[in-house]
C-alpha cells in the first residue's frame, strides 16, 4: 500500500496530464473482481497491481508478470519498460525475469496491466530492504518513471498550466493510471 501511494504521489508531483486512482487507500481488502471492474469502468490506460512475494523456500529477487494469454504489443512494451526501471532498484538482488501468468487482474483488465513482485517478504535480506521506507520510495519512484516512460508523459514545468474551463481537456491526452497494492 505504501508503494502504491508513493507511486501515485511521484506521478502526480512530477508529470503532466496524468490522473491516478488507487484500488484502496487504507489497509482493507477489496475483491479481485471489484479491483478489476473499477479499473475497467474508469478507463485506465495502465494497471499496476503491486505485490510483495512470499515463498516457503529461500526465494529472493524481483520479477514481474503480464497475462499468459494473447496480449498487445503495448502490454509487452509496458513490461519491458517497467522491468528495465525496476532492475535499477534491485541490482543487488536476483533478477527473476519477465514472466507471464493467468492472474485475475492481468487476465480481466481491458488495459495494459502488469503485476510486479517486489522481492520476498519471507526472505530475511529482502524483508530488511523492504522495511526501509526510503527503499519503498525508491521502488515507487522507478515504477512511476517506468509508467511515465511507457505513456510518454511530460515532466511538469515550474509554471502552472492553465486549467481548461468546464473540466474538458483540450489538446493533450490525459492518461489514467490504476494502481493497487496487494
Amino acid at each position: 500500500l505504501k508503494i502504491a501511494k508513493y507511486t501515485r504521489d511521484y506521478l502526480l508531483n512530477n508529470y503532466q496530464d496524468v490522473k491516478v486512482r488507487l484500488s484502496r487507500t487504507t489497509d482493507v481488502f477489496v475483491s479481485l473482481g471489484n479491483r478489476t471492474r473499477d479499473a475497467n469502468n474508469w478507463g485506465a490506460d495502465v494497471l499496476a497491481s503491486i505485490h510483495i512475494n512470499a515463498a516457503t523456500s529461500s526465494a529472493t529477487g524481483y520479477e514481474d508478470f503480464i497475462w499468459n494469454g494473447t496480449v498487445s504489443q503495448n502490454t509487452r512494451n509496458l513490461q519491458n519498460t517497467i522491468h528495465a526501471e525496476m532492475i535499477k532498484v534491485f541490482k543487488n538482488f536476483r533478477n527473476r525475469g519477465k514472466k507471464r501468468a493467468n492472474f485475475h487482474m492481468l487476465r480481466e483488465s481491458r488495459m495494459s496491466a502488469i503485476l510486479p513482485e517486489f522481492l520476498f517478504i519471507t526472505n530475511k535480506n529482502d524483508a530488511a530492504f523492504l522495511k526501509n521506507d526510503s527503499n519503498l520510495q525508491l521502488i515507487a519512484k522507478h515504477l512511476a518513471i517506468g509508467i511515465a516512460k511507457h505513456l510518454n508523459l511530460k515532466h511538469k514545468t515550474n509554471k502552472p498550466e492553465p486549467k481548461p474551463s468546464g473540466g474538458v481537456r483540450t489538446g493533450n491526452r490525459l492518461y489514467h493510471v490504476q494502481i493497487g497494492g496487494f
Side-chain angles (χ1 to χ4, degrees):
L1 183 58
K2 275 188 172 185
I3 294 170
K5 287 179 175 182
Y6 289 147
T7 303
R8 172 201 60 199
D9 295 346
Y10 193 90
L11 283 166
L12 293 174
N13 291 332
N14 291 282
Y15 297 98
Q16 302 175 39
D17 303 324
V18 63
K19 284 187 177 181
V20 181
R21 283 180 63 176
L22 301 181
S23 297
R24 61 189 179 101
T25 56
T26 60
D27 197 12
V28 297
F29 177 77
V30 178
S31 74
L32 290 173
N34 285 340
R35 296 176 208 169
T36 311
R37 193 171 22 263
D38 185 47
N40 287 336
N41 289 341
W42 186 50
D45 295 291
V46 167
L47 183 140
S49 182
I50 297 171
H51 290 255
I52 306 292
N53 223 332
T56 55
S57 65
S58 59
T60 182
Y62 171 77
E63 61 192 352
D64 48 55
F65 293 87
I66 58 174
W67 186 42
N68 64 355
T70 302
V71 296
S72 67
Q73 184 61 48
N74 193 45
T75 297
R76 289 189 293 276
N77 292 345
L78 173 66
Q79 185 179 37
N80 290 336
T81 305
I82 298 286
H83 196 86
E85 277 303 314
M86 297 320 305
I87 60 173
K88 294 175 186 176
V89 176
F90 300 116
K91 58 185 171 274
N92 296 323
F93 296 90
R94 181 173 169 217
N95 179 354
R96 297 174 60 88
K98 296 178 280 185
K99 299 182 177 181
R100 298 181 72 147
N102 190 25
F103 297 145
H104 177 90
M105 296 288 291
L106 303 176
R107 180 184 66 244
E108 299 299 323
S109 62
R110 292 192 299 252
M111 70 290 305
S112 293
I114 189 162
L115 190 149
E117 289 277 9
F118 297 123
L119 305 178
F120 283 77
I121 196 69
T122 50
N123 179 291
K124 182 180 164 185
N125 293 330
D126 289 16
F129 183 87
L130 293 168
K131 286 180 183 170
N132 184 325
D133 200 63
S134 65
N135 290 336
L136 298 181
Q137 290 176 31
L138 183 65
I139 293 167
K141 175 183 176 180
H142 283 274
L143 178 58
I145 290 170
I147 292 168
K149 283 181 178 179
H150 175 73
L151 294 173
N152 294 313
L153 298 179
K154 293 182 178 153
H155 283 277
K156 284 188 173 180
T157 58
N158 290 335
K159 61 181 182 178
E161 293 185 26
K163 294 184 180 182
S165 60
V168 177
R169 176 159 306 278
T170 56
N172 296 338
R173 178 174 161 90
L174 177 64
Y175 290 96
H176 296 81
V177 178
Q178 179 80 31
I179 300 174
F182 312 105

